[in-house]
Amino acid sequence: MKKNYTRLPLDQPHPAFKKETAAWMPMLQVRVGHNHRQTPRIAAVVDSGSPYCFFQSNVGEYLGIDVEHGIEHFVGGITKGAPEPVYFHKVQIYVEADWIVNVMAGFCKKLSVAAILGRNGFFDNFCVRFDHSSNPPVLEINRIDNIQ
Amino acid sequence: MIAAKLYCYEAVVEQAWPVWEVEVSMNNDLSAVLEKAPRDCWLALNEEQTAVVGRGETMDEAVKEANANGVKDPIVMLAPKTWRSAIY
């Protein structure tokens, strides 16, 4: 599946790239499932720099998950400042309209986006290609067959 | 069908949530619709991603407002205080 990047506003252009007034982000729409409940479609950032999949805690609460009873771990780099507690739970992620993957995902109160699709759970289930040769940039994902 | 939808959104403007609707191309350009949308909250967009149809302190609130505005299956996202090029 190929999908154009999503263009988001930029309040303050980067001082080194002053002409850029918007940011192109690789994003997919996902639903999260847990115990027969499912979220609406959530705009999720595809981020190869993230070791895990993360969701804002509120996504877990929407699903009826007792977020803080998950496996606790402090993770830095996904929020500003000091490492924040993240609570891991097993969930299903419905990627666009095409695929379902079972993932151990972290839920964090201070996440600044709704969802991040990271290496463990997403990149180990999909071949992902970021193509910046076109305008807008394109994200291509394909399910890895031997995992299905 | 399109006319009916547009009429629906116009009606919504008066009844509940002020809907920002802008023309977008097929390239997932949300910059215009999000630029003027509320910050530091959950937002619900219509299926075409051309309008904010709900907001809330929680995802549930945003979805309920979208449903009240006639959008049954919205796309939700978290709007930061400041839109930046980095997500952290």
Side-chain angles (χ1 to χ4, degrees):
Chain A
M1 188 204 78
K2 284 186 179 181
K3 186 172 184 181
N4 288 344
Y5 277 31
T6 301
R7 193 169 192 247
L8 300 175
L10 260 186
D11 289 328
Q12 294 172 340
H14 190 287
F17 304 97
K18 288 181 179 172
K19 288 183 181 175
E20 290 184 5
T21 56
W24 289 102
M25 298 287 281
M27 298 182 85
L28 293 172
Q29 291 174 8
V30 300
R31 296 179 196 270
V32 188
H34 180 80
N35 278 353
H36 308 294
R37 286 201 69 180
Q38 216 178 83
T39 65
R41 286 171 290 176
I42 298 171
V45 178
V46 179
D47 182 5
S48 63
S50 174
Y52 311 106
C53 295
F54 293 104
F55 294 96
Q56 222 279 341
S57 289
N58 202 238
V59 174
E61 289 158 10
Y62 184 93
L63 291 166
I65 295 173
D66 188 352
V67 171
E68 296 192 1
H69 276 80
I71 300 167
E72 187 183 44
H73 184 64
F74 281 76
V75 177
I78 57 165
T79 58
K80 271 187 175 178
E84 284 294 320
V86 175
Y87 302 93
F88 286 82
H89 295 266
K90 278 185 182 172
V91 293
Q92 294 88 45
I93 300 179
Y94 300 76
V95 181
E96 295 285 332
D98 300 320
W99 300 285
I100 305 172
V101 287
N102 293 305
V103 171
M104 181 67 92
F107 292 81
C108 179
K109 267 187 186 168
K110 290 203 172 176
L111 205 63
S112 64
V113 293
I116 294 172
L117 302 174
R119 298 195 296 273
N120 189 315
F122 184 75
F123 280 82
D124 52 13
N125 279 290
F126 293 93
C127 275
V128 183
R129 184 166 169 260
F130 301 96
D131 183 358
H132 284 236
S133 67
S134 59
N135 186 18
V138 173
L139 172 72
E140 183 175 357
I141 65 167
N142 288 296
R143 188 81 152 94
I144 297 171
D145 287 336
N146 59 6
I147 290 178
Q148 281 180 326
Chain B
M1 184 66 181
I2 291 169
K5 276 190 175 177
L6 289 173
Y7 176 77
C8 170
Y9 291 135
E10 283 176 8
V12 162
V13 171
E14 291 179 2
Q15 289 170 9
W17 175 248
V19 176
W20 292 276
E21 187 153 9
V22 295
E23 289 294 321
V24 293
S25 63
M26 293 300 288
N27 62 5
N28 296 339
D29 186 349
L30 305 185
S31 59
V33 74
L34 293 177
E35 205 166 36
K36 294 173 185 171
R39 308 290 177 91
D40 200 18
C41 64
W42 286 87
L43 299 177
L45 306 181
N46 62 349
E47 294 198 10
E48 298 80 12
Q49 298 187 94
T50 54
V52 175
V53 292
R55 70 164 296 279
E57 295 303 308
T58 66
M59 191 170 81
D60 194 38
E61 285 177 15
V63 171
K64 280 180 178 164
E65 195 161 75
N67 294 160
N69 282 331
V71 178
K72 288 185 178 174
D73 190 19
I75 298 148
V76 294
M77 63 192 315
L78 194 57
K81 281 181 188 167
T82 306
W83 288 103
R84 296 178 305 154
S85 54
I87 58 174
Y88 308 126

